[in-house]
Amino acid sequence: MNINQVSKKLGISKDTLRYWERVGLLKPIKRDVNGYRDYSKYDINWIFYIRALRNAGMSVDSLVKFIHLYDEHSDKEKRKQMLIEQRDALLKDLNERRKTVNYLSYKINHFDTTLLTYENEKLAYESKEDIR
Amino acid sequence: MNINQVSKKLGISKDTLRYWERVGLLKPIKRDVNGYRDYSKYDINWIFYIRALRNAGMSVDSLVKFIHLYDEHSDKEKRKQMLIEQRDALLKDLNERRKTVNYLSYKINHFDTTLLTYENEKLAYESKEDIR
DNA sequence: GCTTGCCTTGGTGTGCACTCGAAGGTTTAT
DNA sequence: ATAAACCTTCGAGTGCACACCAAGGCAAGC
């Protein structure tokens, strides 16, 4: 699969695909006889994975570092542990965002009442429960 | 409250506070006799609100646009509707991120099995249910 | 009255993550 | 055989969101 097809399949620009490869998010892609990139299905899977993590807000730099560390460890359990840590970090961010959504919901529900004090805004924001 | 106090109270740099005001995220802050900014508690609340939305990933530009639209409408119901739309947009993003977390969880749970095909990766990613 | 420590504006610099342009090579169609 | 439509690399440009000066003003303490 050439770069144009991958670009369309995954919705990532060709420039970005080349950029990701250059900075080390992708291992060097195999080339065909003309020197054109020829992506394997494993490459596609990997790019899919990278895209998910980029969309979730992980920086390119920290992803590169993660990949290097991940590759250094042939220890299976260690690798699994790294995935778990990565997942938990995203989960933490998720909860931060949930706070903001709850805060907005609080504002909506109290829209007709008077202006909130700073302390109440803070409480609404920090609130653990989901508000609908 | 002066800029230094607000900066410390909310954990936002003084430069950022001035920048937000300059681009229109904040209405012009009242000045004291020396020309120094003097933030009211309403300003603080507003900044708290802006910070929450910035942390949730809304761009400065789209926030500025939102504020202008919001101000244009004296119609209360319309304003409330805008807040709801804003909340729902964040909720949508939240669900995208949840997908990524689920996807990672799936990878962790299937860590010991063979490599996933692209279709299975995609399915794992799109999965609606929470996986632990 | 001079230093210290705030604040002000205006302009420039920075880091990230692309994004684009130029120059050139290969295959396909006319 | 010439144009169109791909691809390549390399280097430079872009947009966002600040971050960092420099130059200068005000107020308090010594």
Side-chain angles (χ1 to χ4, degrees):
Chain A
M1 207 177 244
N2 71 17
I3 197 168
N4 193 33
Q5 293 171 307
V6 175
S7 169
K8 278 175 182 152
K9 189 180 177 90
L10 296 181
I12 302 166
S13 82
K14 290 179 276 186
D15 275 322
T16 298
L17 285 170
R18 285 187 280 251
Y19 169 71
W20 283 0
E21 186 179 344
R22 198 167 69 243
V23 297
L25 279 187
L26 281 44
K27 340 225 169 287
I29 305 296
K30 211 188 112 208
R31 305 309 179 97
D32 70 8
V33 66
N34 294 321
Y36 295 1
R37 286 173 180 81
D38 183 20
Y39 295 82
S40 74
K41 65 175 184 170
Y42 301 110
D43 293 330
I44 315 267
N45 282 1
W46 179 255
I47 294 165
F48 185 91
Y49 174 56
I50 295 295
R51 189 191 57 172
L53 295 177
R54 288 285 303 116
N55 283 346
M58 285 196 70
S59 76
V60 168
D61 200 55
S62 63
L63 270 176
V64 169
K65 288 201 179 80
F66 172 79
I67 291 166
H68 284 158
L69 279 172
Y70 194 77
D71 283 348
E72 275 171 21
H73 293 281
S74 47
D75 181 2
K76 250 189 139 175
E77 264 316 304
K78 177 74 186 168
R79 284 183 173 213
K80 190 170 180 176
Q81 197 52 44
M82 288 183 69
L83 281 182
I84 290 168
E85 278 166 22
Q86 194 181 40
R87 193 258 322 262
D88 290 348
L90 291 180
L91 210 48
K92 201 178 155 204
D93 179 69
L94 207 63
N95 284 327
E96 277 304 309
R97 278 158 195 266
R98 210 196 305 271
K99 275 188 193 173
T100 299
V101 171
N102 285 345
Y103 170 60
L104 267 181
S105 293
Y106 183 89
K107 277 186 102 72
I108 290 163
N109 291 339
H110 292 72
F111 192 76
D112 301 316
T113 62
T114 52
L115 282 161
L116 297 172
T117 65
Y118 173 70
E119 273 62 31
N120 282 338
E121 295 259 356
K122 206 161 142 63
L123 276 173
Y125 184 74
E126 297 290 341
S127 164
K128 287 274 181 297
E129 297 105 61
D130 277 4
I131 302 165
R132 281 297 131 68
Chain B
M1 207 178 245
N2 71 16
I3 198 168
N4 193 33
Q5 294 170 305
V6 175
S7 169
K8 278 175 183 153
K9 189 180 178 86
L10 297 182
I12 301 166
S13 82
K14 289 181 276 187
D15 274 322
T16 297
L17 286 171
R18 285 187 280 250
Y19 169 70
W20 283 0
E21 186 179 344
R22 199 168 69 244
V23 296
L25 280 188
L26 281 46
K27 343 228 166 282
I29 305 296
K30 211 189 110 206
R31 304 309 180 98
D32 71 6
V33 68
N34 295 320
Y36 297 0
R37 287 172 179 80
D38 184 19
Y39 295 83
S40 74
K41 64 175 182 168
Y42 302 109
D43 294 329
I44 315 267
N45 282 0
W46 180 254
I47 294 164
F48 185 91
Y49 174 56
I50 294 295
R51 189 190 58 171
L53 295 177
R54 288 287 300 116
N55 284 345
M58 286 197 70
S59 76
V60 168
D61 200 57
S62 63
L63 271 175
V64 169
K65 288 202 179 82
F66 172 79
I67 291 165
H68 284 158
L69 279 173
Y70 194 77
D71 284 348
E72 274 171 21
H73 293 282
S74 47
D75 181 1
K76 246 187 146 180
E77 265 316 303
K78 176 75 185 167
R79 284 184 174 213
K80 190 171 180 177
Q81 197 51 44
M82 287 184 70
L83 282 182
I84 289 169
E85 277 165 23
Q86 194 179 41
R87 193 259 320 262
D88 290 347
L90 292 180
L91 211 48
K92 201 178 154 205
D93 178 69
L94 207 63
N95 284 328
E96 277 303 307
R97 279 159 194 267
R98 209 196 307 272
K99 276 188 192 173
T100 298
V101 170
N102 285 346
Y103 171 59
L104 268 180
S105 294
Y106 183 88
K107 277 185 103 70
I108 290 162
N109 291 339
H110 292 71
F111 193 75
D112 301 316
T113 61
T114 52
L115 282 161
L116 296 172
T117 64
Y118 172 70
E119 273 62 31
N120 281 338
E121 296 259 356
K122 204 161 145 62
L123 277 173
Y125 184 74
E126 297 291 341
S127 163
K128 287 275 178 297
E129 296 105 61
D130 278 4
I131 302 165
R132 279 296 129 68

